[in-house]
Amino acid sequence: MEKDLNHYFTSSESSDQSTQEGIDEESLRKLWRYWRERAMSFLVRREHSEVELRQKMQQRECPSWLLEEIIAWLYEKRYLSLERFAYSYAKNRADLGYGPIRVRHELSGMHQISSQNIDAAFKEINWFEARKTAERKIRQTDPFKFRAALYRRGFSGDDYENDEIDDL
């Protein structure tokens, strides 16, 4: 473990930053350990996207030069994984009755997940079950309002074009 940390503390970028801020090596190690553990505590609770993790760490005033090192370390150790996050997020949203259009938009927009990771995650999601959950939650008898509600939840027109609305 100590050997792994030396890589991060001997890089010229972190050394330059630490000397600029007047931090000795022991203080730097303590700072590293503290912020690394904060980042890992977020990831223990649930998967996070890099964007989410950065926001949470910046809100807690993690130094930006240290945040870059921590993010790189988390990727290297595979504690931070965009593939796992994309699947976890998509599965959770599908279980709540949201459709593939909305979930794809949220993943690509808010979380900046690549379309490759999104496509891989979507292969394992049962969107038919997600639609059934949405239908159960909507409970609308008016066909136009029903279609509008499904559309807002992220289901396209061809998802429900041929279905019977009387099944509600």
PDB file of all heavy atoms in Angstrom, residues 24 28 35 42 47 49 51 56 80 84 91 99 102 129-130 145 154:
ATOM      1  N   ASP A  24       4.260  19.791   4.218  1.00  0.00           N
ATOM      2  CA  ASP A  24       5.320  18.789   4.298  1.00  0.00           C
ATOM      3  C   ASP A  24       4.760  17.421   3.918  1.00  0.00           C
ATOM      4  O   ASP A  24       3.549  17.243   3.787  1.00  0.00           O
ATOM      5  CB  ASP A  24       5.967  18.774   5.682  1.00  0.00           C
ATOM      6  CG  ASP A  24       5.001  18.351   6.781  1.00  0.00           C
ATOM      7  OD1 ASP A  24       3.812  18.165   6.493  1.00  0.00           O
ATOM      8  OD2 ASP A  24       5.464  18.216   7.934  1.00  0.00           O
ATOM      9  N   LEU A  28       0.907  15.959   3.884  1.00  0.00           N
ATOM     10  CA  LEU A  28       0.351  15.573   2.594  1.00  0.00           C
ATOM     11  C   LEU A  28      -0.243  14.177   2.656  1.00  0.00           C
ATOM     12  O   LEU A  28      -1.329  13.931   2.136  1.00  0.00           O
ATOM     13  CB  LEU A  28       1.430  15.655   1.510  1.00  0.00           C
ATOM     14  CG  LEU A  28       0.984  15.372   0.086  1.00  0.00           C
ATOM     15  CD1 LEU A  28      -0.050  16.379  -0.365  1.00  0.00           C
ATOM     16  CD2 LEU A  28       2.179  15.380  -0.849  1.00  0.00           C
ATOM     17  N   TRP A  35      -8.991  12.608   2.491  1.00  0.00           N
ATOM     18  CA  TRP A  35      -9.862  12.828   1.331  1.00  0.00           C
ATOM     19  C   TRP A  35     -10.121  11.538   0.572  1.00  0.00           C
ATOM     20  O   TRP A  35     -11.212  11.340   0.035  1.00  0.00           O
ATOM     21  CB  TRP A  35      -9.301  13.908   0.419  1.00  0.00           C
ATOM     22  CG  TRP A  35      -9.464  15.258   1.033  1.00  0.00           C
ATOM     23  CD1 TRP A  35      -8.488  16.053   1.544  1.00  0.00           C
ATOM     24  CD2 TRP A  35     -10.693  15.948   1.251  1.00  0.00           C
ATOM     25  NE1 TRP A  35      -9.035  17.198   2.053  1.00  0.00           N
ATOM     26  CE2 TRP A  35     -10.384  17.171   1.886  1.00  0.00           C
ATOM     27  CE3 TRP A  35     -12.022  15.671   0.965  1.00  0.00           C
ATOM     28  CZ2 TRP A  35     -11.356  18.095   2.238  1.00  0.00           C
ATOM     29  CZ3 TRP A  35     -12.992  16.595   1.314  1.00  0.00           C
ATOM     30  CH2 TRP A  35     -12.652  17.787   1.938  1.00  0.00           C
ATOM     31  N   PHE A  42     -18.283   7.553   0.124  1.00  0.00           N
ATOM     32  CA  PHE A  42     -19.399   7.774  -0.798  1.00  0.00           C
ATOM     33  C   PHE A  42     -19.632   6.544  -1.661  1.00  0.00           C
ATOM     34  O   PHE A  42     -20.768   6.138  -1.899  1.00  0.00           O
ATOM     35  CB  PHE A  42     -19.140   8.980  -1.697  1.00  0.00           C
ATOM     36  CG  PHE A  42     -19.138  10.293  -0.986  1.00  0.00           C
ATOM     37  CD1 PHE A  42     -18.073  11.169  -1.127  1.00  0.00           C
ATOM     38  CD2 PHE A  42     -20.190  10.671  -0.169  1.00  0.00           C
ATOM     39  CE1 PHE A  42     -18.056  12.380  -0.475  1.00  0.00           C
ATOM     40  CE2 PHE A  42     -20.192  11.884   0.494  1.00  0.00           C
ATOM     41  CZ  PHE A  42     -19.114  12.739   0.341  1.00  0.00           C
ATOM     42  N   GLU A  47     -22.935   3.235  -5.980  1.00  0.00           N
ATOM     43  CA  GLU A  47     -22.090   3.638  -7.104  1.00  0.00           C
ATOM     44  C   GLU A  47     -22.327   5.113  -7.404  1.00  0.00           C
ATOM     45  O   GLU A  47     -23.446   5.601  -7.274  1.00  0.00           O
ATOM     46  CB  GLU A  47     -22.415   2.815  -8.360  1.00  0.00           C
ATOM     47  CG  GLU A  47     -22.110   1.346  -8.255  1.00  0.00           C
ATOM     48  CD  GLU A  47     -20.635   1.027  -8.235  1.00  0.00           C
ATOM     49  OE1 GLU A  47     -19.808   1.859  -8.673  1.00  0.00           O
ATOM     50  OE2 GLU A  47     -20.292  -0.067  -7.763  1.00  0.00           O
ATOM     51  N   SER A  49     -21.193   8.380 -10.272  1.00  0.00           N
ATOM     52  CA  SER A  49     -20.487   8.768 -11.482  1.00  0.00           C
ATOM     53  C   SER A  49     -19.334   9.669 -11.060  1.00  0.00           C
ATOM     54  O   SER A  49     -19.307  10.201  -9.945  1.00  0.00           O
ATOM     55  CB  SER A  49     -21.418   9.514 -12.441  1.00  0.00           C
ATOM     56  OG  SER A  49     -21.805  10.759 -11.889  1.00  0.00           O
ATOM     57  N   VAL A  51     -18.779  12.573 -12.154  1.00  0.00           N
ATOM     58  CA  VAL A  51     -19.349  13.917 -11.994  1.00  0.00           C
ATOM     59  C   VAL A  51     -19.923  14.088 -10.590  1.00  0.00           C
ATOM     60  O   VAL A  51     -19.661  15.089  -9.911  1.00  0.00           O
ATOM     61  CB  VAL A  51     -20.434  14.186 -13.067  1.00  0.00           C
ATOM     62  CG1 VAL A  51     -21.180  15.472 -12.807  1.00  0.00           C
ATOM     63  CG2 VAL A  51     -19.820  14.179 -14.449  1.00  0.00           C
ATOM     64  N   LYS A  56     -19.556  16.210  -4.983  1.00  0.00           N
ATOM     65  CA  LYS A  56     -19.612  15.997  -3.537  1.00  0.00           C
ATOM     66  C   LYS A  56     -18.295  16.369  -2.863  1.00  0.00           C
ATOM     67  O   LYS A  56     -18.294  16.981  -1.791  1.00  0.00           O
ATOM     68  CB  LYS A  56     -19.955  14.535  -3.228  1.00  0.00           C
ATOM     69  CG  LYS A  56     -21.403  14.207  -3.472  1.00  0.00           C
ATOM     70  CD  LYS A  56     -21.716  12.803  -3.044  1.00  0.00           C
ATOM     71  CE  LYS A  56     -23.203  12.528  -3.199  1.00  0.00           C
ATOM     72  NZ  LYS A  56     -23.585  11.219  -2.683  1.00  0.00           N
ATOM     73  N   LEU A  80     -14.007   3.159  -8.601  1.00  0.00           N
ATOM     74  CA  LEU A  80     -14.878   4.033  -9.380  1.00  0.00           C
ATOM     75  C   LEU A  80     -14.983   3.434 -10.778  1.00  0.00           C
ATOM     76  O   LEU A  80     -13.976   3.242 -11.451  1.00  0.00           O
ATOM     77  CB  LEU A  80     -14.298   5.447  -9.447  1.00  0.00           C
ATOM     78  CG  LEU A  80     -15.109   6.511 -10.172  1.00  0.00           C
ATOM     79  CD1 LEU A  80     -16.449   6.729  -9.475  1.00  0.00           C
ATOM     80  CD2 LEU A  80     -14.339   7.815 -10.201  1.00  0.00           C
ATOM     81  N   ARG A  84     -20.231   0.165 -14.017  1.00  0.00           N
ATOM     82  CA  ARG A  84     -21.068  -0.268 -12.897  1.00  0.00           C
ATOM     83  C   ARG A  84     -22.092   0.791 -12.538  1.00  0.00           C
ATOM     84  O   ARG A  84     -23.241   0.481 -12.234  1.00  0.00           O
ATOM     85  CB  ARG A  84     -20.207  -0.583 -11.664  1.00  0.00           C
ATOM     86  CG  ARG A  84     -19.467  -1.890 -11.738  1.00  0.00           C
ATOM     87  CD  ARG A  84     -18.926  -2.301 -10.382  1.00  0.00           C
ATOM     88  NE  ARG A  84     -18.306  -1.227  -9.632  1.00  0.00           N
ATOM     89  CZ  ARG A  84     -17.001  -1.017  -9.521  1.00  0.00           C
ATOM     90  NH1 ARG A  84     -16.165  -1.816 -10.139  1.00  0.00           N
ATOM     91  NH2 ARG A  84     -16.533  -0.033  -8.786  1.00  0.00           N
ATOM     92  N   LYS A  91     -30.805   0.416 -13.772  1.00  0.00           N
ATOM     93  CA  LYS A  91     -31.628  -0.606 -13.117  1.00  0.00           C
ATOM     94  C   LYS A  91     -32.544   0.035 -12.080  1.00  0.00           C
ATOM     95  O   LYS A  91     -33.738  -0.262 -12.017  1.00  0.00           O
ATOM     96  CB  LYS A  91     -30.720  -1.649 -12.449  1.00  0.00           C
ATOM     97  CG  LYS A  91     -31.433  -2.687 -11.623  1.00  0.00           C
ATOM     98  CD  LYS A  91     -31.965  -3.790 -12.488  1.00  0.00           C
ATOM     99  CE  LYS A  91     -32.464  -4.955 -11.666  1.00  0.00           C
ATOM    100  NZ  LYS A  91     -33.898  -4.918 -11.432  1.00  0.00           N
ATOM    101  N   GLY A  99     -38.485   5.063 -18.390  1.00  0.00           N
ATOM    102  CA  GLY A  99     -38.169   4.424 -19.659  1.00  0.00           C
ATOM    103  C   GLY A  99     -36.760   4.701 -20.144  1.00  0.00           C
ATOM    104  O   GLY A  99     -36.029   5.541 -19.600  1.00  0.00           O
ATOM    105  N   ARG A 102     -35.661   8.498 -21.166  1.00  0.00           N
ATOM    106  CA  ARG A 102     -35.367   9.389 -20.038  1.00  0.00           C
ATOM    107  C   ARG A 102     -34.076   8.973 -19.328  1.00  0.00           C
ATOM    108  O   ARG A 102     -33.247   9.827 -18.993  1.00  0.00           O
ATOM    109  CB  ARG A 102     -36.536   9.376 -19.054  1.00  0.00           C
ATOM    110  CG  ARG A 102     -36.294  10.298 -17.891  1.00  0.00           C
ATOM    111  CD  ARG A 102     -37.533  10.499 -17.096  1.00  0.00           C
ATOM    112  NE  ARG A 102     -37.248  11.324 -15.938  1.00  0.00           N
ATOM    113  CZ  ARG A 102     -38.169  11.928 -15.235  1.00  0.00           C
ATOM    114  NH1 ARG A 102     -39.436  11.816 -15.562  1.00  0.00           N
ATOM    115  NH2 ARG A 102     -37.846  12.643 -14.187  1.00  0.00           N
ATOM    116  N   GLU A 129     -40.705  -4.684 -18.112  1.00  0.00           N
ATOM    117  CA  GLU A 129     -41.113  -4.614 -16.704  1.00  0.00           C
ATOM    118  C   GLU A 129     -41.173  -3.162 -16.229  1.00  0.00           C
ATOM    119  O   GLU A 129     -42.036  -2.800 -15.440  1.00  0.00           O
ATOM    120  CB  GLU A 129     -40.161  -5.418 -15.818  1.00  0.00           C
ATOM    121  CG  GLU A 129     -40.331  -6.918 -15.934  1.00  0.00           C
ATOM    122  CD  GLU A 129     -41.713  -7.378 -15.493  1.00  0.00           C
ATOM    123  OE1 GLU A 129     -42.228  -6.875 -14.472  1.00  0.00           O
ATOM    124  OE2 GLU A 129     -42.280  -8.248 -16.167  1.00  0.00           O
ATOM    125  N   ALA A 130     -40.251  -2.347 -16.699  1.00  0.00           N
ATOM    126  CA  ALA A 130     -40.248  -0.927 -16.340  1.00  0.00           C
ATOM    127  C   ALA A 130     -41.539  -0.266 -16.824  1.00  0.00           C
ATOM    128  O   ALA A 130     -42.143   0.545 -16.127  1.00  0.00           O
ATOM    129  CB  ALA A 130     -39.024  -0.227 -16.927  1.00  0.00           C
ATOM    130  N   LYS A 145     -53.982  11.212 -21.972  1.00  0.00           N
ATOM    131  CA  LYS A 145     -53.219  11.504 -20.759  1.00  0.00           C
ATOM    132  C   LYS A 145     -52.295  10.341 -20.406  1.00  0.00           C
ATOM    133  O   LYS A 145     -51.188  10.538 -19.918  1.00  0.00           O
ATOM    134  CB  LYS A 145     -54.165  11.794 -19.593  1.00  0.00           C
ATOM    135  CG  LYS A 145     -54.879  13.118 -19.728  1.00  0.00           C
ATOM    136  CD  LYS A 145     -55.763  13.374 -18.534  1.00  0.00           C
ATOM    137  CE  LYS A 145     -56.475  14.708 -18.672  1.00  0.00           C
ATOM    138  NZ  LYS A 145     -57.344  14.973 -17.515  1.00  0.00           N
ATOM    139  N   GLY A 154     -40.408   8.520 -20.214  1.00  0.00           N
ATOM    140  CA  GLY A 154     -39.310   8.086 -21.064  1.00  0.00           C
ATOM    141  C   GLY A 154     -39.604   6.919 -21.976  1.00  0.00           C
ATOM    142  O   GLY A 154     -38.683   6.254 -22.449  1.00  0.00           O
TER     143      GLY A 154
END
